[in-house]
Amino acid sequence: MIGGECVEKIVIVEDDVFLRDELQNILEKEGYSVECISSFDTPLEDIVSASPSLILLDLNLPKLSGFDICRALKAKGIGPILVLTSRNQLRDELHALGLGADDYLTKPCHPKRLIARIQKLIHLYANMHVMLDAGDFQIDEMANILYVGKDSISLSENEGIIINALLKASPSVVKKEELFNLLWGSSDYVDENILQVNMTRLRKTLDGVGLSNRIKTIRGIGYQLIGGDIQ
Amino acid sequence: MIGGECVEKIVIVEDDVFLRDELQNILEKEGYSVECISSFDTPLEDIVSASPSLILLDLNLPKLSGFDICRALKAKGIGPILVLTSRNQLRDELHALGLGADDYLTKPCHPKRLIARIQKLIHLYANMHVMLDAGDFQIDEMANILYVGKDSISLSENEGIIINALLKASPSVVKKEELFNLLWGSSDYVDENILQVNMTRLRKTLDGVGLSNRIKTIRGIGYQLIGGDIQ
DNA sequence: ATTAACACTTACAGTTGTTGTAAGGTTTGT
DNA sequence: ACAAACCTTACAACAACTGTAAGTGTTAAT
């Protein structure tokens, strides 16, 4: 093991069983926790729910294009993505990098090079702001800063929690109870209209930067972030 | 020009005049502002004062090792560093990446690949927390968070300004007037002991996370961050 | 149309964190 | 010993955030 103790989880998206096992072997020897995902099943959901520190992605998937996975993951702010492929054409590399891949290695690749690149990417991402993208605005989840155009405003804790939940679920509806749990899950009692108050406050804040009517009320169910159309 | 308007500045550290001109040509066509620095002169100071969006570094510098530059820049939190070199040995790549290089390309390198990698790195760094390193503690300058060991505490605005100024100047002394300017430069009048009060508060905060006696008073001059010995 | 459930808005007050002021104590160098 | 420089502490003002409360508006089913 080269790099001290690791508890980082790496997801391998690769259908070739032989290659997959070899990669898994290399990475586990290095101390990483490894999860293998096939392009059959439901790769996107599986990757998201694994919440890995890095995604090792093959481009030559029989079922689904690696490019599509790349694009989809990046839209959700998930990464880093290291593409490891036998396609050594420059145009593939440019395409993958353009879609959001963070590094591009061609097979055969020396294990040490692979490990070095993986470490690099994981370290880079550890120091990154996670930027959630809603199309016409972005949110720095960690710092609770909302960017819209050239402006940026800082959100309060509650505002951040709500908009993050809405954005991550978008375009799905977020149930009232979910928001209650996120915000006051540990409190024994809060006034029942507290969520409405906080929704009003968030809406007013969004209004202030030109983002009007972006939170829709689903009567009896919850709230939904609309517009921006990143999907 | 591939990637829209750019005003990013790239510093090329390369002594071979022919290669340098070629690179400069490619980058400027792409819309980047380019500054060339030779390893003769004072490369480190020149790079720092240029404050580039990216450093394009050759390893084969006759005067000074590219590795040394790499290490020195990273200690100061300056980056990203893209190494472009004719040394195509794996051990050189591993060494460079280990010292802090963010990408490693070997010549000859297709201009489009170079540009793609440059764009990638600049974009990554734009979303990064700038982490200032004092050896035994780190500071996220943007979010005003101080990391020491596994703990992290958030600093107040004033605390952040002071510790950042001290850290960036370290191990030099920061003059009282400089701090006054940073903190209350726009105010017409503040009490004369206000700086002392804020130094006390910062010291107490640092004490709270085990960082005692790290700010030395230079009587009549200013303050100095000591210990940590990163240099 | 009526009604009850649901949602929205506004004002108020408690809490917390930050900051400048003031007053008094301590250290330092000569 | 003495004065300048520095440190510490307490206090109050201020701003931001948040929950409560009360009243208003909206929706959908009867």
Side-chain angles (χ1 to χ4, degrees), chain B residues 156-158 184 189-191 193-194 197-198 201 219:
Chain B
S156 77
E157 201 62 30
N158 280 3
W184 304 282
Y189 172 78
V190 284
D191 199 291
N193 89 332
I194 183 62
V197 173
N198 277 272
R201 284 171 181 156
R219 196 179 170 83

Side-chain angles (χ1 to χ4, degrees), chain B residues 198-218:
Chain B
N198 277 272
M199 294 308 293
T200 296
R201 284 171 181 156
L202 174 57
R203 280 169 169 152
K204 196 176 291 179
T205 301
L206 294 180
D207 266 18
V209 290
L211 298 167
S212 303
N213 297 94
R214 296 298 297 277
I215 299 177
K216 187 176 169 188
T217 304
I218 312 299

Side-chain angles (χ1 to χ4, degrees), chain B residues 53-89:
Chain B
S53 301
L54 182 137
I55 297 123
L56 194 54
L57 179 65
D58 191 359
L59 285 184
N60 270 329
L61 303 172
K63 185 78 180 306
L64 179 60
S65 159
F67 292 124
D68 292 335
I69 293 184
C70 219
R71 188 191 293 113
L73 288 178
K74 276 301 155 176
K76 288 187 182 295
I78 294 172
I81 301 173
L82 197 165
V83 169
L84 179 63
T85 184
S86 48
R87 293 159 81 155
N88 63 353
Q89 303 242 336

